[in-house]
Amino acid sequence: MSPTQPSSKQASVAVVETKLAAILYDLDGTLVNTDPLHFQVWQAMLREFGLDIDEAFYQTKISGRLNPAIVDDLLPHLSSEEQQQFIDQKEARFREQVPQLTPLAGLMEIIQWADQQEMKQGVVTNAPTENVYHVLKALHLEDTFDQVVISDVLGIGKPDPAPYTHALKQFGLSPQQAIAFEDSPSGLRSAVGAGILTVGIASTHYPQALYSLGATLVVADFSAPELWQLLGVTVNSL
């Protein structure tokens, strides 16, 4: 089974019983599948240091983690200044490729639906600050979200629950009033740890892995009928 195929683990999906007041989205791998670009850039740059990584290594050691921790693990011999230079160069190369990105299937529909329901919407991400706004602008979503919580700015990142707890606090909501969308293990741990019902997006990791971390449902993208069933929406009414 490929990472993009949803699991048949749940034959039926219960409808969310608590009235939702907010949707919280991860950025990389959730709003848009940036992982292929990130992987290509990481692979090329690490090869210059004699490290040849494959997709399995990327998913296990890199995807969803903060850059300083990644570089410190993989290139510990570099000085702090050299590590930061590596990170800056890596992200600059990534941003050069951003214009080719497109939103994940069904994203615009769920954003529109949530807006019609007068729900709050926010982004909670480990991505570097400059990347966040660069990607949102490329997707024409720069004015869409009520708040954008960035781990670099907050000072603590996923898998700690703090980014999601902070988003809830800013909205004045309880965990039971929100739903989160995440694609990575670190993101799942963060959202589930904050007590939020979390839907896994299987764009970068296998469904079984996301279910094992506490995802209530795992889908390939936002167009999945099971997701709309979870939200209590009849697909034909969209």
Side-chain angles (χ1 to χ4, degrees), residues 12-51:
S12 61
V13 180
V15 174
V16 174
E17 295 182 359
T18 303
K19 182 174 175 57
L20 291 176
I23 297 182
L24 300 173
Y25 309 84
D26 175 48
L27 178 66
D28 288 318
T30 301
L31 294 184
V32 55
N33 190 5
T34 55
D35 264 37
L37 293 184
H38 281 297
F39 169 65
Q40 291 169 17
V41 176
W42 276 108
Q43 187 180 50
M45 291 191 62
L46 289 174
R47 189 176 290 131
E48 296 173 8
F49 286 84
L51 295 176

PDB file of all heavy atoms in Angstrom, residues 12-51:
ATOM      1  N   SER A  12     -16.797   2.055   9.156  1.00  0.00           N
ATOM      2  CA  SER A  12     -17.706   3.195   9.192  1.00  0.00           C
ATOM      3  C   SER A  12     -17.095   4.267  10.061  1.00  0.00           C
ATOM      4  O   SER A  12     -16.262   3.991  10.916  1.00  0.00           O
ATOM      5  CB  SER A  12     -19.079   2.784   9.750  1.00  0.00           C
ATOM      6  OG  SER A  12     -18.953   2.302  11.073  1.00  0.00           O
ATOM      7  N   VAL A  13     -17.530   5.493   9.851  1.00  0.00           N
ATOM      8  CA  VAL A  13     -16.975   6.626  10.579  1.00  0.00           C
ATOM      9  C   VAL A  13     -18.074   7.322  11.348  1.00  0.00           C
ATOM     10  O   VAL A  13     -19.095   7.698  10.770  1.00  0.00           O
ATOM     11  CB  VAL A  13     -16.310   7.628   9.603  1.00  0.00           C
ATOM     12  CG1 VAL A  13     -15.744   8.801  10.383  1.00  0.00           C
ATOM     13  CG2 VAL A  13     -15.223   6.938   8.802  1.00  0.00           C
ATOM     14  N   ALA A  14     -17.881   7.483  12.634  1.00  0.00           N
ATOM     15  CA  ALA A  14     -18.863   8.174  13.453  1.00  0.00           C
ATOM     16  C   ALA A  14     -18.849   9.663  13.132  1.00  0.00           C
ATOM     17  O   ALA A  14     -17.812  10.234  12.825  1.00  0.00           O
ATOM     18  CB  ALA A  14     -18.564   7.955  14.938  1.00  0.00           C
ATOM     19  N   VAL A  15     -20.008  10.282  13.207  1.00  0.00           N
ATOM     20  CA  VAL A  15     -20.115  11.715  12.953  1.00  0.00           C
ATOM     21  C   VAL A  15     -19.646  12.471  14.192  1.00  0.00           C
ATOM     22  O   VAL A  15     -19.888  12.062  15.327  1.00  0.00           O
ATOM     23  CB  VAL A  15     -21.575  12.103  12.617  1.00  0.00           C
ATOM     24  CG1 VAL A  15     -21.732  13.609  12.491  1.00  0.00           C
ATOM     25  CG2 VAL A  15     -22.024  11.399  11.357  1.00  0.00           C
ATOM     26  N   VAL A  16     -18.925  13.579  13.986  1.00  0.00           N
ATOM     27  CA  VAL A  16     -18.497  14.421  15.092  1.00  0.00           C
ATOM     28  C   VAL A  16     -19.725  14.908  15.848  1.00  0.00           C
ATOM     29  O   VAL A  16     -20.643  15.477  15.261  1.00  0.00           O
ATOM     30  CB  VAL A  16     -17.685  15.632  14.572  1.00  0.00           C
ATOM     31  CG1 VAL A  16     -17.372  16.582  15.718  1.00  0.00           C
ATOM     32  CG2 VAL A  16     -16.401  15.153  13.915  1.00  0.00           C
ATOM     33  N   GLU A  17     -19.749  14.657  17.157  1.00  0.00           N
ATOM     34  CA  GLU A  17     -20.932  15.002  17.941  1.00  0.00           C
ATOM     35  C   GLU A  17     -20.871  16.427  18.488  1.00  0.00           C
ATOM     36  O   GLU A  17     -21.882  17.112  18.569  1.00  0.00           O
ATOM     37  CB  GLU A  17     -21.095  14.003  19.083  1.00  0.00           C
ATOM     38  CG  GLU A  17     -21.384  12.575  18.599  1.00  0.00           C
ATOM     39  CD  GLU A  17     -21.600  11.604  19.736  1.00  0.00           C
ATOM     40  OE1 GLU A  17     -21.513  12.040  20.905  1.00  0.00           O
ATOM     41  OE2 GLU A  17     -21.865  10.422  19.463  1.00  0.00           O
ATOM     42  N   THR A  18     -19.694  16.866  18.900  1.00  0.00           N
ATOM     43  CA  THR A  18     -19.554  18.226  19.414  1.00  0.00           C
ATOM     44  C   THR A  18     -19.569  19.212  18.255  1.00  0.00           C
ATOM     45  O   THR A  18     -18.956  18.973  17.225  1.00  0.00           O
ATOM     46  CB  THR A  18     -18.226  18.370  20.187  1.00  0.00           C
ATOM     47  OG1 THR A  18     -18.183  17.404  21.225  1.00  0.00           O
ATOM     48  CG2 THR A  18     -18.099  19.763  20.775  1.00  0.00           C
ATOM     49  N   LYS A  19     -20.253  20.338  18.424  1.00  0.00           N
ATOM     50  CA  LYS A  19     -20.291  21.346  17.366  1.00  0.00           C
ATOM     51  C   LYS A  19     -18.913  21.944  17.186  1.00  0.00           C
ATOM     52  O   LYS A  19     -18.346  22.532  18.108  1.00  0.00           O
ATOM     53  CB  LYS A  19     -21.303  22.441  17.696  1.00  0.00           C
ATOM     54  CG  LYS A  19     -21.408  23.501  16.603  1.00  0.00           C
ATOM     55  CD  LYS A  19     -22.509  24.469  16.893  1.00  0.00           C
ATOM     56  CE  LYS A  19     -22.527  25.592  15.859  1.00  0.00           C
ATOM     57  NZ  LYS A  19     -22.670  25.099  14.485  1.00  0.00           N
ATOM     58  N   LEU A  20     -18.378  21.769  15.999  1.00  0.00           N
ATOM     59  CA  LEU A  20     -17.041  22.284  15.726  1.00  0.00           C
ATOM     60  C   LEU A  20     -17.051  23.799  15.610  1.00  0.00           C
ATOM     61  O   LEU A  20     -17.971  24.377  15.025  1.00  0.00           O
ATOM     62  CB  LEU A  20     -16.500  21.675  14.436  1.00  0.00           C
ATOM     63  CG  LEU A  20     -16.173  20.179  14.468  1.00  0.00           C
ATOM     64  CD1 LEU A  20     -15.732  19.722  13.075  1.00  0.00           C
ATOM     65  CD2 LEU A  20     -15.093  19.883  15.492  1.00  0.00           C
ATOM     66  N   ALA A  21     -15.999  24.416  16.126  1.00  0.00           N
ATOM     67  CA  ALA A  21     -15.864  25.863  16.037  1.00  0.00           C
ATOM     68  C   ALA A  21     -14.580  26.264  15.327  1.00  0.00           C
ATOM     69  O   ALA A  21     -14.412  27.429  14.975  1.00  0.00           O
ATOM     70  CB  ALA A  21     -15.897  26.487  17.434  1.00  0.00           C
ATOM     71  N   ALA A  22     -13.692  25.300  15.097  1.00  0.00           N
ATOM     72  CA  ALA A  22     -12.409  25.644  14.460  1.00  0.00           C
ATOM     73  C   ALA A  22     -11.810  24.441  13.753  1.00  0.00           C
ATOM     74  O   ALA A  22     -11.967  23.303  14.191  1.00  0.00           O
ATOM     75  CB  ALA A  22     -11.414  26.177  15.487  1.00  0.00           C
ATOM     76  N   ILE A  23     -11.125  24.726  12.652  1.00  0.00           N
ATOM     77  CA  ILE A  23     -10.324  23.732  11.956  1.00  0.00           C
ATOM     78  C   ILE A  23      -8.882  24.212  11.967  1.00  0.00           C
ATOM     79  O   ILE A  23      -8.596  25.366  11.636  1.00  0.00           O
ATOM     80  CB  ILE A  23     -10.787  23.524  10.503  1.00  0.00           C
ATOM     81  CG1 ILE A  23     -12.216  22.983  10.467  1.00  0.00           C
ATOM     82  CG2 ILE A  23      -9.859  22.551   9.783  1.00  0.00           C
ATOM     83  CD1 ILE A  23     -12.727  22.702   9.056  1.00  0.00           C
ATOM     84  N   LEU A  24      -7.972  23.316  12.344  1.00  0.00           N
ATOM     85  CA  LEU A  24      -6.551  23.633  12.398  1.00  0.00           C
ATOM     86  C   LEU A  24      -5.814  22.730  11.422  1.00  0.00           C
ATOM     87  O   LEU A  24      -5.959  21.506  11.467  1.00  0.00           O
ATOM     88  CB  LEU A  24      -6.021  23.441  13.820  1.00  0.00           C
ATOM     89  CG  LEU A  24      -6.698  24.305  14.894  1.00  0.00           C
ATOM     90  CD1 LEU A  24      -6.227  23.904  16.278  1.00  0.00           C
ATOM     91  CD2 LEU A  24      -6.436  25.782  14.641  1.00  0.00           C
ATOM     92  N   TYR A  25      -5.036  23.332  10.556  1.00  0.00           N
ATOM     93  CA  TYR A  25      -4.337  22.597   9.509  1.00  0.00           C
ATOM     94  C   TYR A  25      -2.825  22.692   9.693  1.00  0.00           C
ATOM     95  O   TYR A  25      -2.290  23.778   9.946  1.00  0.00           O
ATOM     96  CB  TYR A  25      -4.629  23.188   8.127  1.00  0.00           C
ATOM     97  CG  TYR A  25      -6.068  23.401   7.752  1.00  0.00           C
ATOM     98  CD1 TYR A  25      -6.738  24.566   8.145  1.00  0.00           C
ATOM     99  CD2 TYR A  25      -6.748  22.480   6.954  1.00  0.00           C
ATOM    100  CE1 TYR A  25      -8.053  24.793   7.762  1.00  0.00           C
ATOM    101  CE2 TYR A  25      -8.072  22.715   6.563  1.00  0.00           C
ATOM    102  CZ  TYR A  25      -8.718  23.863   6.974  1.00  0.00           C
ATOM    103  OH  TYR A  25     -10.019  24.106   6.588  1.00  0.00           O
ATOM    104  N   ASP A  26      -2.148  21.578   9.513  1.00  0.00           N
ATOM    105  CA  ASP A  26      -0.709  21.611   9.309  1.00  0.00           C
ATOM    106  C   ASP A  26      -0.468  22.204   7.911  1.00  0.00           C
ATOM    107  O   ASP A  26      -1.401  22.296   7.104  1.00  0.00           O
ATOM    108  CB  ASP A  26      -0.147  20.194   9.410  1.00  0.00           C
ATOM    109  CG  ASP A  26       1.330  20.115   9.082  1.00  0.00           C
ATOM    110  OD1 ASP A  26       2.100  20.928   9.614  1.00  0.00           O
ATOM    111  OD2 ASP A  26       1.687  19.249   8.269  1.00  0.00           O
ATOM    112  N   LEU A  27       0.748  22.573   7.621  1.00  0.00           N
ATOM    113  CA  LEU A  27       1.064  23.149   6.310  1.00  0.00           C
ATOM    114  C   LEU A  27       1.685  22.108   5.373  1.00  0.00           C
ATOM    115  O   LEU A  27       1.017  21.576   4.486  1.00  0.00           O
ATOM    116  CB  LEU A  27       2.012  24.346   6.461  1.00  0.00           C
ATOM    117  CG  LEU A  27       2.455  25.023   5.158  1.00  0.00           C
ATOM    118  CD1 LEU A  27       1.281  25.686   4.458  1.00  0.00           C
ATOM    119  CD2 LEU A  27       3.542  26.050   5.438  1.00  0.00           C
ATOM    120  N   ASP A  28       2.960  21.782   5.583  1.00  0.00           N
ATOM    121  CA  ASP A  28       3.663  20.842   4.703  1.00  0.00           C
ATOM    122  C   ASP A  28       3.033  19.457   4.760  1.00  0.00           C
ATOM    123  O   ASP A  28       2.921  18.863   5.834  1.00  0.00           O
ATOM    124  CB  ASP A  28       5.133  20.738   5.103  1.00  0.00           C
ATOM    125  CG  ASP A  28       5.928  21.981   4.743  1.00  0.00           C
ATOM    126  OD1 ASP A  28       5.721  22.505   3.638  1.00  0.00           O
ATOM    127  OD2 ASP A  28       6.755  22.426   5.563  1.00  0.00           O
ATOM    128  N   GLY A  29       2.625  18.948   3.599  1.00  0.00           N
ATOM    129  CA  GLY A  29       2.046  17.623   3.526  1.00  0.00           C
ATOM    130  C   GLY A  29       0.565  17.586   3.815  1.00  0.00           C
ATOM    131  O   GLY A  29      -0.061  16.533   3.686  1.00  0.00           O
ATOM    132  N   THR A  30      -0.013  18.720   4.203  1.00  0.00           N
ATOM    133  CA  THR A  30      -1.433  18.763   4.557  1.00  0.00           C
ATOM    134  C   THR A  30      -2.188  19.754   3.672  1.00  0.00           C
ATOM    135  O   THR A  30      -3.061  19.360   2.914  1.00  0.00           O
ATOM    136  CB  THR A  30      -1.603  19.114   6.045  1.00  0.00           C
ATOM    137  OG1 THR A  30      -0.921  18.130   6.849  1.00  0.00           O
ATOM    138  CG2 THR A  30      -3.070  19.132   6.443  1.00  0.00           C
ATOM    139  N   LEU A  31      -1.855  21.031   3.759  1.00  0.00           N
ATOM    140  CA  LEU A  31      -2.448  21.982   2.820  1.00  0.00           C
ATOM    141  C   LEU A  31      -1.961  21.688   1.406  1.00  0.00           C
ATOM    142  O   LEU A  31      -2.698  21.834   0.430  1.00  0.00           O
ATOM    143  CB  LEU A  31      -2.071  23.420   3.187  1.00  0.00           C
ATOM    144  CG  LEU A  31      -2.608  23.993   4.498  1.00  0.00           C
ATOM    145  CD1 LEU A  31      -2.199  25.457   4.626  1.00  0.00           C
ATOM    146  CD2 LEU A  31      -4.119  23.845   4.598  1.00  0.00           C
ATOM    147  N   VAL A  32      -0.719  21.267   1.325  1.00  0.00           N
ATOM    148  CA  VAL A  32      -0.078  21.021   0.031  1.00  0.00           C
ATOM    149  C   VAL A  32       1.021  19.990   0.240  1.00  0.00           C
ATOM    150  O   VAL A  32       1.660  19.961   1.296  1.00  0.00           O
ATOM    151  CB  VAL A  32       0.509  22.331  -0.542  1.00  0.00           C
ATOM    152  CG1 VAL A  32       1.456  22.993   0.450  1.00  0.00           C
ATOM    153  CG2 VAL A  32       1.191  22.112  -1.879  1.00  0.00           C
ATOM    154  N   ASN A  33       1.216  19.128  -0.737  1.00  0.00           N
ATOM    155  CA  ASN A  33       2.245  18.099  -0.602  1.00  0.00           C
ATOM    156  C   ASN A  33       3.602  18.663  -1.020  1.00  0.00           C
ATOM    157  O   ASN A  33       4.025  18.547  -2.162  1.00  0.00           O
ATOM    158  CB  ASN A  33       1.907  16.865  -1.429  1.00  0.00           C
ATOM    159  CG  ASN A  33       2.834  15.705  -1.112  1.00  0.00           C
ATOM    160  OD1 ASN A  33       3.672  15.791  -0.218  1.00  0.00           O
ATOM    161  ND2 ASN A  33       2.687  14.620  -1.844  1.00  0.00           N
ATOM    162  N   THR A  34       4.259  19.278  -0.067  1.00  0.00           N
ATOM    163  CA  THR A  34       5.582  19.860  -0.309  1.00  0.00           C
ATOM    164  C   THR A  34       6.700  18.845  -0.142  1.00  0.00           C
ATOM    165  O   THR A  34       7.852  19.124  -0.490  1.00  0.00           O
ATOM    166  CB  THR A  34       5.842  21.020   0.673  1.00  0.00           C
ATOM    167  OG1 THR A  34       5.671  20.526   2.009  1.00  0.00           O
ATOM    168  CG2 THR A  34       4.880  22.172   0.439  1.00  0.00           C
ATOM    169  N   ASP A  35       6.387  17.683   0.408  1.00  0.00           N
ATOM    170  CA  ASP A  35       7.446  16.730   0.734  1.00  0.00           C
ATOM    171  C   ASP A  35       8.325  16.318  -0.449  1.00  0.00           C
ATOM    172  O   ASP A  35       9.545  16.180  -0.275  1.00  0.00           O
ATOM    173  CB  ASP A  35       6.860  15.498   1.419  1.00  0.00           C
ATOM    174  CG  ASP A  35       6.956  15.608   2.929  1.00  0.00           C
ATOM    175  OD1 ASP A  35       6.773  16.732   3.436  1.00  0.00           O
ATOM    176  OD2 ASP A  35       7.225  14.603   3.605  1.00  0.00           O
ATOM    177  N   PRO A  36       7.769  16.090  -1.647  1.00  0.00           N
ATOM    178  CA  PRO A  36       8.662  15.746  -2.766  1.00  0.00           C
ATOM    179  C   PRO A  36       9.730  16.808  -3.017  1.00  0.00           C
ATOM    180  O   PRO A  36      10.878  16.482  -3.308  1.00  0.00           O
ATOM    181  CB  PRO A  36       7.700  15.612  -3.950  1.00  0.00           C
ATOM    182  CG  PRO A  36       6.416  15.181  -3.331  1.00  0.00           C
ATOM    183  CD  PRO A  36       6.357  15.952  -2.034  1.00  0.00           C
ATOM    184  N   LEU A  37       9.352  18.085  -2.885  1.00  0.00           N
ATOM    185  CA  LEU A  37      10.325  19.162  -3.078  1.00  0.00           C
ATOM    186  C   LEU A  37      11.346  19.182  -1.949  1.00  0.00           C
ATOM    187  O   LEU A  37      12.551  19.320  -2.182  1.00  0.00           O
ATOM    188  CB  LEU A  37       9.616  20.515  -3.168  1.00  0.00           C
ATOM    189  CG  LEU A  37       8.735  20.762  -4.391  1.00  0.00           C
ATOM    190  CD1 LEU A  37       8.196  22.191  -4.362  1.00  0.00           C
ATOM    191  CD2 LEU A  37       9.514  20.521  -5.673  1.00  0.00           C
ATOM    192  N   HIS A  38      10.848  19.073  -0.719  1.00  0.00           N
ATOM    193  CA  HIS A  38      11.767  19.066   0.416  1.00  0.00           C
ATOM    194  C   HIS A  38      12.747  17.898   0.309  1.00  0.00           C
ATOM    195  O   HIS A  38      13.952  18.062   0.543  1.00  0.00           O
ATOM    196  CB  HIS A  38      10.988  18.957   1.727  1.00  0.00           C
ATOM    197  CG  HIS A  38      10.387  20.240   2.191  1.00  0.00           C
ATOM    198  ND1 HIS A  38      11.154  21.335   2.536  1.00  0.00           N
ATOM    199  CD2 HIS A  38       9.093  20.613   2.381  1.00  0.00           C
ATOM    200  CE1 HIS A  38      10.366  22.333   2.926  1.00  0.00           C
ATOM    201  NE2 HIS A  38       9.110  21.909   2.837  1.00  0.00           N
ATOM    202  N   PHE A  39      12.229  16.728  -0.047  1.00  0.00           N
ATOM    203  CA  PHE A  39      13.090  15.550  -0.170  1.00  0.00           C
ATOM    204  C   PHE A  39      14.180  15.771  -1.204  1.00  0.00           C
ATOM    205  O   PHE A  39      15.357  15.475  -0.964  1.00  0.00           O
ATOM    206  CB  PHE A  39      12.259  14.324  -0.531  1.00  0.00           C
ATOM    207  CG  PHE A  39      13.082  13.131  -0.934  1.00  0.00           C
ATOM    208  CD1 PHE A  39      13.931  12.512  -0.031  1.00  0.00           C
ATOM    209  CD2 PHE A  39      13.030  12.639  -2.235  1.00  0.00           C
ATOM    210  CE1 PHE A  39      14.704  11.415  -0.409  1.00  0.00           C
ATOM    211  CE2 PHE A  39      13.790  11.550  -2.619  1.00  0.00           C
ATOM    212  CZ  PHE A  39      14.634  10.936  -1.700  1.00  0.00           C
ATOM    213  N   GLN A  40      13.820  16.299  -2.371  1.00  0.00           N
ATOM    214  CA  GLN A  40      14.793  16.522  -3.430  1.00  0.00           C
ATOM    215  C   GLN A  40      15.891  17.475  -2.977  1.00  0.00           C
ATOM    216  O   GLN A  40      17.074  17.257  -3.262  1.00  0.00           O
ATOM    217  CB  GLN A  40      14.088  17.068  -4.667  1.00  0.00           C
ATOM    218  CG  GLN A  40      13.184  16.069  -5.362  1.00  0.00           C
ATOM    219  CD  GLN A  40      12.307  16.716  -6.423  1.00  0.00           C
ATOM    220  OE1 GLN A  40      12.583  17.842  -6.869  1.00  0.00           O
ATOM    221  NE2 GLN A  40      11.250  16.037  -6.820  1.00  0.00           N
ATOM    222  N   VAL A  41      15.506  18.529  -2.266  1.00  0.00           N
ATOM    223  CA  VAL A  41      16.496  19.512  -1.818  1.00  0.00           C
ATOM    224  C   VAL A  41      17.387  18.921  -0.727  1.00  0.00           C
ATOM    225  O   VAL A  41      18.619  19.067  -0.761  1.00  0.00           O
ATOM    226  CB  VAL A  41      15.804  20.799  -1.328  1.00  0.00           C
ATOM    227  CG1 VAL A  41      16.844  21.775  -0.771  1.00  0.00           C
ATOM    228  CG2 VAL A  41      15.033  21.460  -2.456  1.00  0.00           C
ATOM    229  N   TRP A  42      16.773  18.250   0.249  1.00  0.00           N
ATOM    230  CA  TRP A  42      17.568  17.607   1.298  1.00  0.00           C
ATOM    231  C   TRP A  42      18.534  16.595   0.693  1.00  0.00           C
ATOM    232  O   TRP A  42      19.712  16.530   1.070  1.00  0.00           O
ATOM    233  CB  TRP A  42      16.656  16.899   2.301  1.00  0.00           C
ATOM    234  CG  TRP A  42      16.091  17.755   3.373  1.00  0.00           C
ATOM    235  CD1 TRP A  42      14.797  18.175   3.506  1.00  0.00           C
ATOM    236  CD2 TRP A  42      16.791  18.306   4.502  1.00  0.00           C
ATOM    237  NE1 TRP A  42      14.638  18.946   4.627  1.00  0.00           N
ATOM    238  CE2 TRP A  42      15.855  19.042   5.260  1.00  0.00           C
ATOM    239  CE3 TRP A  42      18.115  18.246   4.935  1.00  0.00           C
ATOM    240  CZ2 TRP A  42      16.202  19.708   6.430  1.00  0.00           C
ATOM    241  CZ3 TRP A  42      18.463  18.915   6.105  1.00  0.00           C
ATOM    242  CH2 TRP A  42      17.520  19.631   6.842  1.00  0.00           C
ATOM    243  N   GLN A  43      18.049  15.785  -0.227  1.00  0.00           N
ATOM    244  CA  GLN A  43      18.872  14.745  -0.843  1.00  0.00           C
ATOM    245  C   GLN A  43      20.083  15.351  -1.541  1.00  0.00           C
ATOM    246  O   GLN A  43      21.217  14.886  -1.380  1.00  0.00           O
ATOM    247  CB  GLN A  43      18.035  13.936  -1.828  1.00  0.00           C
ATOM    248  CG  GLN A  43      18.743  12.724  -2.411  1.00  0.00           C
ATOM    249  CD  GLN A  43      17.865  11.964  -3.365  1.00  0.00           C
ATOM    250  OE1 GLN A  43      17.270  12.547  -4.274  1.00  0.00           O
ATOM    251  NE2 GLN A  43      17.762  10.652  -3.181  1.00  0.00           N
ATOM    252  N   ALA A  44      19.834  16.420  -2.323  1.00  0.00           N
ATOM    253  CA  ALA A  44      20.920  17.050  -3.073  1.00  0.00           C
ATOM    254  C   ALA A  44      21.945  17.692  -2.141  1.00  0.00           C
ATOM    255  O   ALA A  44      23.160  17.557  -2.345  1.00  0.00           O
ATOM    256  CB  ALA A  44      20.347  18.093  -4.029  1.00  0.00           C
ATOM    257  N   MET A  45      21.472  18.371  -1.108  1.00  0.00           N
ATOM    258  CA  MET A  45      22.400  19.076  -0.227  1.00  0.00           C
ATOM    259  C   MET A  45      23.175  18.129   0.685  1.00  0.00           C
ATOM    260  O   MET A  45      24.370  18.335   0.938  1.00  0.00           O
ATOM    261  CB  MET A  45      21.646  20.123   0.585  1.00  0.00           C
ATOM    262  CG  MET A  45      21.136  21.283  -0.276  1.00  0.00           C
ATOM    263  SD  MET A  45      20.530  22.671   0.701  1.00  0.00           S
ATOM    264  CE  MET A  45      22.021  23.167   1.578  1.00  0.00           C
ATOM    265  N   LEU A  46      22.498  17.098   1.188  1.00  0.00           N
ATOM    266  CA  LEU A  46      23.203  16.145   2.051  1.00  0.00           C
ATOM    267  C   LEU A  46      24.222  15.324   1.265  1.00  0.00           C
ATOM    268  O   LEU A  46      25.260  14.912   1.803  1.00  0.00           O
ATOM    269  CB  LEU A  46      22.204  15.221   2.746  1.00  0.00           C
ATOM    270  CG  LEU A  46      21.358  15.878   3.840  1.00  0.00           C
ATOM    271  CD1 LEU A  46      20.295  14.911   4.349  1.00  0.00           C
ATOM    272  CD2 LEU A  46      22.236  16.364   4.994  1.00  0.00           C
ATOM    273  N   ARG A  47      23.935  15.102  -0.019  1.00  0.00           N
ATOM    274  CA  ARG A  47      24.881  14.368  -0.863  1.00  0.00           C
ATOM    275  C   ARG A  47      26.214  15.117  -0.942  1.00  0.00           C
ATOM    276  O   ARG A  47      27.281  14.500  -1.057  1.00  0.00           O
ATOM    277  CB  ARG A  47      24.290  14.156  -2.249  1.00  0.00           C
ATOM    278  CG  ARG A  47      25.111  13.220  -3.137  1.00  0.00           C
ATOM    279  CD  ARG A  47      24.421  12.978  -4.461  1.00  0.00           C
ATOM    280  NE  ARG A  47      23.227  12.154  -4.301  1.00  0.00           N
ATOM    281  CZ  ARG A  47      22.037  12.446  -4.811  1.00  0.00           C
ATOM    282  NH1 ARG A  47      21.868  13.550  -5.506  1.00  0.00           N
ATOM    283  NH2 ARG A  47      21.020  11.625  -4.626  1.00  0.00           N
ATOM    284  N   GLU A  48      26.168  16.433  -0.872  1.00  0.00           N
ATOM    285  CA  GLU A  48      27.383  17.239  -0.908  1.00  0.00           C
ATOM    286  C   GLU A  48      28.261  16.991   0.326  1.00  0.00           C
ATOM    287  O   GLU A  48      29.448  17.293   0.324  1.00  0.00           O
ATOM    288  CB  GLU A  48      27.024  18.722  -1.001  1.00  0.00           C
ATOM    289  CG  GLU A  48      26.298  19.102  -2.292  1.00  0.00           C
ATOM    290  CD  GLU A  48      25.795  20.539  -2.288  1.00  0.00           C
ATOM    291  OE1 GLU A  48      26.147  21.282  -1.338  1.00  0.00           O
ATOM    292  OE2 GLU A  48      25.050  20.916  -3.214  1.00  0.00           O
ATOM    293  N   PHE A  49      27.623  16.425   1.382  1.00  0.00           N
ATOM    294  CA  PHE A  49      28.362  16.108   2.610  1.00  0.00           C
ATOM    295  C   PHE A  49      28.586  14.609   2.744  1.00  0.00           C
ATOM    296  O   PHE A  49      28.910  14.114   3.829  1.00  0.00           O
ATOM    297  CB  PHE A  49      27.589  16.633   3.823  1.00  0.00           C
ATOM    298  CG  PHE A  49      27.653  18.133   3.971  1.00  0.00           C
ATOM    299  CD1 PHE A  49      26.772  18.943   3.262  1.00  0.00           C
ATOM    300  CD2 PHE A  49      28.590  18.735   4.792  1.00  0.00           C
ATOM    301  CE1 PHE A  49      26.817  20.321   3.381  1.00  0.00           C
ATOM    302  CE2 PHE A  49      28.643  20.105   4.923  1.00  0.00           C
ATOM    303  CZ  PHE A  49      27.765  20.909   4.206  1.00  0.00           C
ATOM    304  N   GLY A  50      28.383  13.882   1.641  1.00  0.00           N
ATOM    305  CA  GLY A  50      28.648  12.456   1.647  1.00  0.00           C
ATOM    306  C   GLY A  50      27.537  11.596   2.199  1.00  0.00           C
ATOM    307  O   GLY A  50      27.740  10.400   2.452  1.00  0.00           O
ATOM    308  N   LEU A  51      26.343  12.193   2.387  1.00  0.00           N
ATOM    309  CA  LEU A  51      25.197  11.428   2.883  1.00  0.00           C
ATOM    310  C   LEU A  51      24.202  11.221   1.745  1.00  0.00           C
ATOM    311  O   LEU A  51      23.713  12.193   1.169  1.00  0.00           O
ATOM    312  CB  LEU A  51      24.506  12.173   4.032  1.00  0.00           C
ATOM    313  CG  LEU A  51      25.320  12.370   5.313  1.00  0.00           C
ATOM    314  CD1 LEU A  51      24.538  13.208   6.308  1.00  0.00           C
ATOM    315  CD2 LEU A  51      25.680  11.029   5.929  1.00  0.00           C
TER     316      LEU A  51
END
